[in-house]
Amino acid sequence: MVRAGPQKQISPHHEPLPAAYQTTPEGRAAAEAYHAAHPPSSSTAAADMPAKLALTDVLPLPNSAVRIPRLGFGVYLSPAAVCVASCLHALAHGYRHIDTAQYYQNETEVGEALRQSGLPRGDVFLTTKILAAAGSPEKTYQRCVDSVAKLDPREGGFVDLFLIHSPSGGRRGRQEMWGALERLLAEGKARSIGVSNYGVGQVEEMRDYATVWPPHVNQIEQRAICDYCAQHGIVVEAYSPLVRAQKAHDPTLVAIATKQGKTAAQVLIRYCLQKGWVPLPKSDTPSRIEENAAVYDFELSVEDMKELDGLDMGADGAIVEAVTNG
């Protein structure tokens, strides 16, 4: 079985984040203990502040040579008639990571946008997801192969990341879908595999049946499992990082945005990046697509980060699916 414990020395993104950025008392205690035992050298004395970030930044995935771009572009509810144009605009403005899903019904359009862009296939990171098992291992596998063909119909086509969209199908369904993803990975049809909306218990359950563990990625909208993911080297993707504009007028967020001379959306995306997460902002408005990528000319202070941490509503703030750690 391919497994890995905490990966603290491979990359700064795989050691515990500073205590100020942890989201639970346990995480803060673990971070304080780790950094007390591993004092920073002069080159890392500013560990409490992020290194300079860039649109071209990538993160390593656990037990893999794959690197995932740190800023993604989401296409949920992007209708077929506009999805191609939105993706082309994003690619023209520097995005190199597009996140779709079978459920979104626009995998073909994402693949078409990549072809129209003229960019080499290896320059763009494509993610898709399977929502439910199809009733047998072979049928579930074929459902995944169909997605690969929509996104990259070339002979030898592949996706960069294939996720299980939700754990809601029960253990049997989760196991069937994971087996299909492992087969895709072994055959080169997927370069990495992961999960979405999984809590600690569901990731731990995978040890019983997975050949590939830990999953490379967990795509979530809440912080409940972030410390666990960091401890196991699992990259966290943040979907709905803009909270679908529900926090756009929050006084704390507005004050920070005003101070920085940025929009609330830009502050939320920058917050995710400084947390070490991979945000997936979505828009079909060209100006907002550009705006959401213009987050590399400012930094949020430790105080700003703490204030934004304080806006967390836990499971009550879930828009799509609350993570359950039981």
Side-chain angles (χ1 to χ4, degrees), residues 240-256:
S240 295
L242 308 183
V243 210
R244 298 188 186 170
Q246 292 182 13
K247 292 282 187 181
H249 302 293
D250 179 90
T252 298
L253 179 56
V254 170
I256 293 172

Side-chain angles (χ1 to χ4, degrees), residues 98 127 265 271:
I98 301 176
T127 298
Y271 170 77

Side-chain angles (χ1 to χ4, degrees), residues 271-288:
Y271 170 77
C272 290
L273 292 169
Q274 289 187 207
K275 282 287 190 182
W277 306 333
V278 177
L280 304 167
K282 182 265 175 181
S283 180
D284 286 315
T285 303
S287 61
R288 289 179 182 167

Side-chain angles (χ1 to χ4, degrees), residues 121 145 147-160 184 187-191:
R121 172 65 186 88
V145 170
S147 285
V148 175
K150 290 175 182 178
L151 285 159
D152 187 358
R154 305 170 306 153
E155 182 177 355
F158 63 92
V159 297
D160 297 278
L184 291 180
E187 295 173 349
K189 293 180 174 66
R191 297 179 66 229

Side-chain angles (χ1 to χ4, degrees), residues 245-322:
Q246 292 182 13
K247 292 282 187 181
H249 302 293
D250 179 90
T252 298
L253 179 56
V254 170
I256 293 172
T258 300
K259 178 179 70 173
Q260 294 284 358
K262 294 292 180 179
T263 66
Q266 288 172 317
V267 168
L268 290 172
I269 294 167
R270 180 73 194 196
Y271 170 77
C272 290
L273 292 169
Q274 289 187 207
K275 282 287 190 182
W277 306 333
V278 177
L280 304 167
K282 182 265 175 181
S283 180
D284 286 315
T285 303
S287 61
R288 289 179 182 167
I289 292 172
E290 297 171 32
E291 177 184 286
N292 290 342
V295 293
Y296 298 97
D297 58 351
F298 73 105
E299 276 187 0
L300 297 172
S301 67
V302 173
E303 292 73 23
D304 291 336
M305 296 292 287
K306 287 181 178 177
E307 289 190 39
L308 292 169
D309 282 343
L311 300 181
D312 180 42
M313 297 172 62
D316 290 340
I319 296 173
V320 178
E321 186 169 354

